[in-house]
Coordinates of all heavy atoms in Angstrom, one line a residue:
Chain A
D594 N -2.2 48.9 -2.2 CA -0.9 49.5 -1.9 C 0.1 49.3 -3.0 O 0.9 50.2 -3.2 CB -0.4 49.1 -0.5 CG -1.3 49.6 0.7 OD1 -1.9 50.7 0.5 OD2 -1.4 48.8 1.7
I595 N 0.1 48.1 -3.6 CA 1.0 47.9 -4.7 C 0.7 48.9 -5.8 O 1.6 49.6 -6.4 CB 0.8 46.4 -5.3 CG1 1.3 45.5 -4.2 CG2 1.6 46.3 -6.6 CD1 1.1 44.0 -4.6
R596 N -0.6 49.2 -6.0 CA -1.0 50.1 -7.0 C -0.5 51.5 -6.7 O 0.0 52.3 -7.5 CB -2.6 50.1 -7.0 CG -3.3 50.2 -8.3 CD -4.7 50.0 -8.1 NE -5.2 48.8 -8.6 CZ -5.1 48.5 -9.9 NH1 -4.6 49.4 -10.8 NH2 -5.6 47.4 -10.4
K597 N -0.7 51.9 -5.4 CA -0.4 53.3 -5.0 C 1.1 53.5 -5.0 O 1.6 54.5 -5.4 CB -0.9 53.4 -3.5 CG -1.3 54.9 -3.2 CD -1.8 55.1 -1.8 CE -3.1 54.3 -1.4 NZ -3.3 54.4 0.0
Q598 N 1.9 52.5 -4.5 CA 3.3 52.7 -4.3 C 4.1 52.5 -5.5 O 5.2 52.9 -5.6 CB 3.8 51.8 -3.1 CG 3.2 52.2 -1.8 CD 3.3 51.1 -0.7 OE1 4.0 50.1 -1.0 NE2 2.7 51.3 0.4
G599 N 3.6 51.7 -6.4 CA 4.3 51.4 -7.7 C 5.6 50.6 -7.5 O 5.8 49.9 -6.4
G600 N 6.5 50.6 -8.4 CA 7.7 49.8 -8.3 C 7.5 48.4 -8.7 O 6.4 48.0 -9.1
V601 N 8.5 47.6 -8.7 CA 8.4 46.1 -9.0 C 7.8 45.4 -7.8 O 8.3 45.5 -6.7 CB 9.8 45.6 -9.4 CG1 9.7 44.1 -9.7 CG2 10.4 46.3 -10.5
A602 N 6.7 44.7 -8.1 CA 6.1 43.9 -7.0 C 6.6 42.4 -7.2 O 6.4 41.8 -8.2 CB 4.6 44.0 -7.1
R603 N 7.2 41.9 -6.1 CA 7.8 40.5 -6.2 C 7.2 39.6 -5.1 O 6.4 40.0 -4.3 CB 9.3 40.6 -5.9 CG 10.0 41.7 -6.7 CD 11.5 41.7 -6.3 NE 12.2 42.6 -7.1 CZ 12.4 43.9 -6.9 NH1 11.8 44.5 -5.7 NH2 13.0 44.7 -7.6
M604 N 7.6 38.3 -5.1 CA 7.2 37.4 -4.0 C 7.5 38.1 -2.7 O 8.5 38.8 -2.5 CB 8.1 36.2 -4.2 CG 7.9 35.2 -3.1 SD 9.1 33.8 -3.2 CE 10.6 34.5 -2.6
S605 N 6.7 37.8 -1.7 CA 7.0 38.3 -0.3 C 8.1 37.6 0.4 O 8.5 36.5 0.0 CB 5.7 38.2 0.6 OG 4.7 38.9 0.0
D606 N 8.7 38.3 1.4 CA 9.8 37.7 2.2 C 9.3 36.4 2.8 O 8.3 36.4 3.6 CB 10.1 38.7 3.3 CG 11.3 38.3 4.1 OD1 11.6 37.1 4.2 OD2 12.0 39.2 4.7
P607 N 10.0 35.3 2.6 CA 9.6 34.0 3.2 C 9.5 34.1 4.7 O 8.6 33.3 5.3 CB 10.8 33.1 2.8 CG 11.4 33.7 1.6 CD 11.2 35.1 1.7

Side-chain angles (χ1 to χ4, degrees):
Chain A
D594 289 331
I595 292 174
R596 221 173 245 299
K597 209 183 296 170
Q598 294 161 7
V601 178
R603 310 179 178 89
M604 173 187 81
S605 297
D606 186 333

